[in-house]
Structure formats: C-alpha cells, structure tokens
Amino acid sequence: MQKLNSISLDGLAPLLQMDLPLDYMKRKGICPIGVSNGRLVVAIASNDALMDAYNLAVTMNMIADIVIAPQQEIEKCINYFLSARVSAEDVAKRVEVKQSKKIERKELLLSAEDAPVVELVNSIIYRAVDSRASDIHIEPHSGSMQVRYRIDGVLFHEHTFSSDFLPPVVSRIKVMAGMDIAEHLKPQDGRIGIKVGDREVDIRVSVVPTQFGERVVMRLLYKKEGVIGLSEIGLQPEDVEVFLDVISSPFGMVLLTGPTGSGKTTTLYAMMKELNRPDVNIITIEDPVEYELEGISQIQVNRKAGMTFATGLRSVLRQDPDIMMIGEIRDRETAEMAIHSALTGHLVLSTLHTNDAPSAITRLVDMGIEPYLVSSSLLFVVAQRLVRKICTHCKFATGEEVDGYPIYRGKGCDACRNSGYMGRTAIFEYFVVDEDVRRTIVKNQDAAYIREYLIGRGMKTLRESGLQKVKQGITTMEEVLRVTHVRF
C-alpha cells in the first residue's frame, strides 16, 4: 500500500464534478484524491478506515485503490471539497430570499439556519482559511453583495452575489457570533470559534449598518499557529542581538509603533517568547488575546465589564509582575501608569500608533507626559511595517541590479493568485535610548528634529531596512515604497 507524505490539491479538481458524500468523508476521516485507470484513489490515515474507503468507492460505483496519508493532509483535502461545494449559482437556486422589509425574528432565525445559507457561509470561511486570509469583508452595494479577502495585507475580490443574499448571510453570521439578529440599525461585535481541519481559528466579527445594508468584517486569528522567535520575524542577525540585549534589562519601557496590521503584536509575542522563563512573572493585557502562551498570564480587555487597559494595568501591578505587556497605549491614564511601572522596577512592553519610531516621543508628550519622564522610562523604540515576499513558485531574476545586487520579481501564478507575492516579512527602524538621546528628548521633543538627530547617529530607516531585503531577493522595491510612504 502506497504511503504519501503530502497530497497536492491540484489533482483534486477533476473530482469536483462528482457527487461526493462529504459528511461521510468527514465522519470517517477518508478522502478520494484522484482517479487512476478507472479506479478511485482514496486516502486513509490508518488501516482502521480500510472498510470505510471501500464502501466510499462502492457508493461511487468504482473500485478503490487505497493510499496512506497523514490525517492533516486528508483533512486539508476534505476542506478543499467543502469550500468548493457551494457556488453562487447553486445557492441562488436553493436560498429562499425574504423580500419583505419587516421580517420577524423567528423568520430571520429560520432563514439563517437554512442548509444552503449555512453551506454558503461555511464556504466563504473555508476558502478564506485555505487562502491564508487575515480578514473577510462582506460588503453591500446597490444590487450586489461583494466578498473580499485580505491576503498578505492586500484585499482581493473573491465573489459577487446578488444583494438578495445579504440578509440571510448576515443573519447566519450573527447567529454564529452570538449577536442580536433582529438589530439592524446599530453596530455589533461578536466572536466565532471554529476548527478547520487541525487549525483552530478565532474570528472577531464586526457588523455595521450602511446605506445598502449591513456590512460585515471578520478578522481571522489562527490560535495554534505557534509564536515565532525574534530571528524569524524579519530581523537581520545583528538586529536580533540588539533586541535581545535591550529586553534583558530588568526595567524600562519598550515601544513598538506602526499602523494597525503592521505586525506589532507578533513582535511583542516574539520578545515574550525570549523572556519567558520559570523564574519570571509575565502578565499581559490584550485586546484581544491573539495567541495562547504557556507560562504567561494573559488578560482579555472587556470594556462592558469595566476591564480596560488602564483598569487592567492597575490590577496587574498588584500581581507582583516582573514583565508586563500592554497591548496598546491609547490614553494619558494608561501612558502614565505604564511609565510609572517602567520607572519602579518593571519591564513594560507596549505599542503606539505612530508613523515612525521618533514620533513615539512626540505622541507621549502630546498625551501629557512630561519629557523628563519619557526620557527616563524609555529603553527602546521600534517602528515596523510588513512587506510581501516574492512568491517562490514564480520568482525570477529581472536582469536589473541595485548596488550590484540582482533584482527579483514574481511572474504571478495560481499559488499567489497571480500577484507575484506570497507571505510577508517585517522591516524595521529602531533606536536605543542612551544618555545622549535622553538629553536630546528633554531639550527638544520635535519629531523631525529627533529623527534627523538619530539618522545622523546611524539609525537605519524603514526604507533602508526594506532596501536591504530587496538586495537579499526577499521583496521588491515597489513593495517597500508602498508601505514606507511616510511624509515629514
């Protein structure tokens, strides 16, 4: 019996025309992966499923050829069939659309639980997970409902449906997220926990009313992906040494800056992974808790219960922490408490929304923090962005060079959705706050002045960090320019 280490999804496409018993396949953990010489090739994880595989072939009026494959590979194939099962035309034939403007709560609930609607929503989510999407956008327009996925930081169009699909689809998502399905005039937030194959996905759901109906955005957080280390987030080897040296300090504040979606939380988790030891008490306050870290106490912000960053930080200080991670400094109260903690023997890791590293100083001063407190508490400030990596499946040398280094691009292929990119890595600018920098902060808090001063001292900018990755053949200059468009 042949054993496979992996199964290519490309060979599954011809099987989409077959009426596969997906429920049976999921229940038994088996999956057909091809047809060879008129026989159905069925993958199983162990000999315990032999009879189930033969029965599957019989239902398809074929003879089975059995192969052994890892369970996760079989689940990946089943999810492929599940995601491909529902098309717009198929659902259009089967979804009963409620045209009345006033729909009773009971009718909404029944509509949301209709099998075709369930299949459609499942298909949208399965496809997103399979595509490595971080967000799903369901957008109402005049006469249509558009579905888009954010992949590697860029939105891609996935489906366009009739606007008639919007009410039942939104109702189904609301049911899954524990929202009020009868409320259409107010924004709502909720959560969905699902498992796709062996991947656990936590979905944050936001629903807001718009001119043409309710708009849904779902943020996908892959809970069990594992926290990566500092050497894996995109830092150069010499940068890793600087980061490790700084966070070995017993007290002070480390700030990460950048817009939403720039990977700040991932970098914070990478730092905590390095700091996590049995003799250290680490407590975090997050919104939301994106990854579960063994050995670290993680607190979820809950504004309805009065648990904000500021109130949570006040409570955490009574828990004898050595290291604290605050998901974001948003207001003066949180900033004051974070700085007080950094000055009284705690290592504080947190984030700010600024365009570059030097602007973090100005932001804290604008919040009402005295410059001498900023200079005394800060250890390290990092700004970062995420750039897309060139797709390794279609990467080619252009024949051009920059500073003697060959330039690469991606031609575009099925694996990367013809974008030429697959996956992302981070670029950084940072500075260590030493005595000279402290004196400069106290004398002048102007971000442009501080930036020029730091560059004069050798600070590598975001664009220079990106250019280094261009020379290494990791990304393109166009991608670096796209994410480092910062005005001063």
Side-chain angles (χ1 to χ4, degrees), residues 67-121:
V67 298
I68 299 289
Q71 185 63 41
Q72 60 267 27
E73 288 293 304
I74 294 172
E75 290 175 353
K76 177 184 75 174
C77 295
I78 294 173
N79 287 331
Y80 169 84
F81 289 122
L82 284 168
S83 66
R85 181 175 186 173
V86 182
S87 66
E89 295 78 13
D90 179 46
V91 177
K93 294 175 184 176
R94 296 188 288 144
V95 174
E96 180 182 357
V97 179
K98 308 290 185 182
Q99 298 291 353
S100 172
K101 291 185 179 179
K102 288 188 177 180
I103 304 176
E104 295 296 329
R105 185 186 186 97
K106 184 178 179 182
E107 289 178 311
L108 274 171
L109 186 58
L110 289 173
S111 173
E113 296 293 351
D114 283 347
V117 177
V118 172
E119 289 179 7
L120 177 57
V121 173

Side-chain angles (χ1 to χ4, degrees), residues 1-7 12 29-34 36 39-47 49-50 53-54 64-71 73-74 77:
M1 192 178 299
Q2 185 182 3
K3 290 187 177 181
L4 304 177
N5 292 323
S6 63
I7 302 172
L12 304 184
I30 61 176
C31 190
I33 61 171
S36 176
R39 300 163 71 96
L40 188 69
V41 182
V42 183
I44 63 175
S46 71
N47 289 332
L50 268 175
Y54 288 124
D65 274 343
I66 311 298
V67 298
I68 299 289
Q71 185 63 41
E73 288 293 304
I74 294 172
C77 295

Side-chain angles (χ1 to χ4, degrees), residues 40-301:
L40 188 69
V41 182
V42 183
I44 63 175
S46 71
N47 289 332
D48 294 340
L50 268 175
M51 189 55 66
D52 300 318
Y54 288 124
N55 289 339
L56 174 64
V58 169
T59 64
M60 308 296 295
N61 295 317
M62 301 178 76
I63 297 173
D65 274 343
I66 311 298
V67 298
I68 299 289
Q71 185 63 41
Q72 60 267 27
E73 288 293 304
I74 294 172
E75 290 175 353
K76 177 184 75 174
C77 295
I78 294 173
N79 287 331
Y80 169 84
F81 289 122
L82 284 168
S83 66
R85 181 175 186 173
V86 182
S87 66
E89 295 78 13
D90 179 46
V91 177
K93 294 175 184 176
R94 296 188 288 144
V95 174
E96 180 182 357
V97 179
K98 308 290 185 182
Q99 298 291 353
S100 172
K101 291 185 179 179
K102 288 188 177 180
I103 304 176
E104 295 296 329
R105 185 186 186 97
K106 184 178 179 182
E107 289 178 311
L108 274 171
L109 186 58
L110 289 173
S111 173
E113 296 293 351
D114 283 347
V117 177
V118 172
E119 289 179 7
L120 177 57
V121 173
N122 287 349
S123 174
I124 290 171
I125 295 173
Y126 285 142
R127 285 181 185 272
V129 173
D130 189 55
S131 301
R132 304 174 295 106
S134 62
D135 301 84
I136 303 170
H137 290 232
I138 298 175
E139 305 164 348
H141 299 283
S142 178
S144 68
M145 179 187 84
Q146 187 179 76
V147 178
R148 294 195 291 171
Y149 295 156
R150 187 177 295 279
I151 303 170
D152 295 332
V154 177
L155 281 170
F156 289 86
H157 176 265
E158 182 69 17
H159 297 293
T160 297
F161 299 96
S162 164
S163 58
D164 293 337
F165 290 94
L166 186 67
V169 166
V170 173
S171 294
R172 171 59 185 167
I173 292 170
K174 284 181 176 180
V175 168
M176 295 173 71
M179 298 179 181
D180 183 352
I181 62 172
E183 177 57 70
H184 305 288
L185 302 178
K186 296 180 181 178
Q188 295 190 67
D189 295 303
R191 290 201 169 174
I192 303 169
I194 65 168
K195 188 172 183 181
V196 179
D198 60 345
R199 305 177 76 183
E200 291 186 16
V201 186
D202 184 27
I203 305 175
R204 287 184 288 164
V205 184
S206 171
V207 179
V208 297
T210 71
Q211 179 184 3
F212 297 111
E214 292 177 285
R215 188 181 195 276
V216 181
V217 173
M218 295 186 278
R219 168 65 58 88
L220 278 59
L221 301 172
Y222 301 93
K223 302 286 285 185
K224 299 294 185 182
E225 296 293 278
V227 177
I228 60 177
L230 285 174
S231 60
E232 302 167 275
I233 61 177
L235 289 168
Q236 303 295 336
E238 62 271 21
D239 298 328
V240 174
E241 294 302 317
V242 175
F243 274 60
L244 289 173
D245 181 61
V246 170
I247 63 176
S248 65
S249 173
F251 59 87
M253 184 157 66
V254 174
L255 284 179
L256 272 76
T257 73
T260 301
S262 59
K264 300 185 297 295
T265 302
T266 300
T267 302
L268 285 176
Y269 275 67
M271 289 179 178
M272 289 191 291
K273 183 177 181 180
E274 300 290 345
L275 294 167
N276 191 9
R277 304 188 307 272
D279 61 330
V280 174
N281 181 20
I282 304 177
I283 302 179
T284 75
I285 309 168
E286 306 174 60
D287 183 23
V289 174
E290 297 193 12
Y291 301 99
E292 297 172 4
L293 298 172
E294 188 175 350
I296 294 177
S297 299
Q298 297 171 270
I299 299 172
Q300 172 78 49
V301 167

